């Protein structure tokens, strides 16, 4: 057994002695087995299974403690991330590379009333997709904004290729599964165009670029947004790409999320707004959140107003 496995085993023993005093082990083991069966998960060794059970128990306890708070604004739940540590979750599913000159805005106004807007109910948002274990969130945010443009500007909702952006936009500053930025992807589409998803399907790994000549759908450029009022007005006209701090999003199930840190690390699609919340389409499949969506408290919650943009026709 190497040093890494020894360290993990010691962590299992130490943490289990604490956790099992707070949670009935018979019920949680059966919950863990049911969770594995539901997600079709099998671990390669007894050691790995024991470690993942320990992480699952920690996360389950965290969910239960949160949901017991009568003042909470959102519910947490067990999902596909429930056997991952926070560090593993961030490494595998968050991937945003901010501009070198980026400076977060400390206070942004948010007092614009644009009514209730929800592009996902108006035919301008494709079904929720799944980025898998690849830090390509930026590509899904980009295609979501392009898909909204295809419906609103041209009358036909098209689904565009994230894989093309992952494979081909590296010269614009994107790093495939290691992160990227929506503006960089917009520049690529402006210069080269993009093809439909069924023509260039998603593989969740970096491949050799198959579409160096680009594709038929192009844009003239993009517009950056710098404050919450502009974001509210912008999303009234179209879905927009935004960067957020999704560090604590892994266990989200429903309700209005308001528990964020300060570091932008994830690209998503802002598809709606109401008096009290932004509505966001994520790229972690429909088993997460509100069928793949999350509602975030109005204001600059999760830094949602700091890096926002949309493509121009």
């Amino acid at each position: 057994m190497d040093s890494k496995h020894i360290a993990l085993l010691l962590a299992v023993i130490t943490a289990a002695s604490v956790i099992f005093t707070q949670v009935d082990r018979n019920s949680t083991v059966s919950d863990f087995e049911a969770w594995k069966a539901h997600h079709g998960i099998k671990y390669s060794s007894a050691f790995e299974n024991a470690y993942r059970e320990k992480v699952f128990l920690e996360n389950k306890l965290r969910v239960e403690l949160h949901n017991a708070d009568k003042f909470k604004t959102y519910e947490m739940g067990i999902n596909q991330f429930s056997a991952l540590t926070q560090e593993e979750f961030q490494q595998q599913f968050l991937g945003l590379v901010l501009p070198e000159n980026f400076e977060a805005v400390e206070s942004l106004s948010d007092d614009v009333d644009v009514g209730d807007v929800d592009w996902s109910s108006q035919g301008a948002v494709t079904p929720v997709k799944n980025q898998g274990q690849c830090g390509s969130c930026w590509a899904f945010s980009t295609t979501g904004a392009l898909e909204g443009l295809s419906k609103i500007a041209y009358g036909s909702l098209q689904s565009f290729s994230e894989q093309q952006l992952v494979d081909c936009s590296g010269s614009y500053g994107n790093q495939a599964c290691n992160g990227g930025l929506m503006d960089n992807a917009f520049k690529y589409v402006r210069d080269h165009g993009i093809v439909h998803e069924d023509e260039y399907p998603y593989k969740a790994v970096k491949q050799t670029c198959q579409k160096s000549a680009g594709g038929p759908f192009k844009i003239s450029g993009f517009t950056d947004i710098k404050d919450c009022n502009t974001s509210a007005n912008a999303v009234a006209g179209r879905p927009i790409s935004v960067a957020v701090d999704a560090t604590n999003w892994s266990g989200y199930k429903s309700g209005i999320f308001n528990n964020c840190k300060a570091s932008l690390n994830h690209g998503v699609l802002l598809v709606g707004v109401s008096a009290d919340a932004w509505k966001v389409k994520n790229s972690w499949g429909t088993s997460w959140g509100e069928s793949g969506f999350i509602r975030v408290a109005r204001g600059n919650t999760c830094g949602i107003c700091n890096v926002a943009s949309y493509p121009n026709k």
Side-chain angles (χ1 to χ4, degrees):
M1 184 178 294
D2 60 29
S3 59
K4 180 180 179 181
H5 281 173
I6 292 174
L8 289 175
L9 182 59
L10 290 173
V12 171
I13 295 171
T14 302
S17 64
V18 175
I19 293 170
F20 291 153
T21 63
Q22 303 174 70
V23 184
D24 178 72
R25 191 176 191 282
N26 290 330
S27 65
T28 54
V29 168
S30 64
D31 287 344
F32 179 62
E33 294 301 324
W35 175 84
K36 287 196 300 178
H38 176 74
H39 292 282
I41 294 175
K42 294 182 179 180
Y43 295 111
S44 59
S45 68
F47 173 84
E48 176 71 3
N49 192 80
Y51 176 68
R52 292 301 162 190
E53 180 184 346
K54 169 254 181 184
V55 174
F56 177 87
L57 294 177
E58 290 178 331
N59 288 330
K60 184 175 184 292
L61 180 60
R62 187 176 297 112
V63 167
E64 292 170 345
L65 291 173
H66 172 86
N67 290 346
D69 181 0
K70 64 179 180 180
F71 298 109
K72 64 186 179 298
T73 63
Y74 67 97
E75 294 276 343
M76 293 179 66
I78 299 299
N79 58 28
Q80 68 267 40
F81 304 128
S82 295
L84 295 176
T85 66
Q86 192 71 4
E87 293 73 22
E88 289 170 330
F89 165 74
Q90 293 182 56
Q91 182 179 29
Q92 295 176 28
F93 294 95
L94 305 181
L96 189 77
V97 178
L98 292 171
E100 293 183 1
N101 59 351
F102 170 74
E103 293 184 9
V105 179
E106 298 257 336
S107 178
L108 297 172
S109 59
D110 184 20
D111 53 12
V112 169
D113 181 9
V114 295
D116 290 345
V117 176
D118 185 358
W119 290 108
S120 65
S121 66
Q122 298 182 48
V125 179
T126 58
V128 172
K129 303 179 184 181
N130 196 334
Q131 69 187 68
Q133 293 186 21
C134 170
S136 56
C137 57
W138 57 272
F140 287 83
S141 175
T142 300
T143 58
L146 295 170
E147 289 160 356
L149 177 65
S150 74
K151 175 63 176 179
I152 294 167
Y154 301 103
S156 175
L157 181 63
Q158 304 174 61
S159 182
F160 294 115
S161 173
E162 294 81 21
Q163 192 65 46
Q164 182 182 358
L165 298 177
V166 168
D167 293 347
C168 305
S169 66
S171 63
Y172 289 79
N174 292 326
Q175 300 173 24
C177 288
N178 294 319
L181 184 66
M182 291 75 78
D183 280 5
N184 294 339
F186 287 143
K187 292 175 184 177
Y188 169 84
V189 176
R190 177 196 63 195
D191 295 344
H192 299 281
I194 191 168
V195 301
H196 289 165
E197 185 175 24
D198 57 2
E199 184 179 343
Y200 201 152
Y202 186 65
K203 302 297 183 183
V205 294
K206 172 70 169 70
Q207 304 177 132
T208 301
C209 179
Q210 301 172 21
K211 291 289 179 183
S212 57
F217 190 88
K218 289 188 176 183
I219 58 176
S220 62
F222 57 93
T223 299
D224 284 330
I225 302 168
K226 298 298 184 183
D227 61 78
C228 287
N229 283 345
T230 307
S231 291
N233 283 317
V235 78
R238 72 210 42 91
I240 62 177
S241 293
V242 294
V244 294
D245 173 5
T247 303
N248 294 328
W249 283 22
S250 60
Y252 171 81
K253 181 179 181 181
S254 63
I256 298 178
F257 190 84
N258 60 2
N259 178 25
C260 295
K261 296 183 180 179
S263 178
L264 300 180
N265 50 27
H266 191 49
V268 291
L269 186 70
L270 183 59
V271 300
V273 64
S274 63
D276 55 0
W278 307 101
K279 183 173 182 179
V280 172
K281 178 190 180 185
N282 205 352
S283 52
W284 297 339
T286 57
S287 62
W288 174 88
E290 295 180 333
S291 298
F293 292 83
I294 181 173
R295 284 177 290 153
V296 177
R298 280 289 294 268
N300 196 28
T301 309
C302 301
I304 198 169
C305 303
N306 281 330
V307 175
S309 57
Y310 59 86
N312 301 324
K313 180 178 176 181

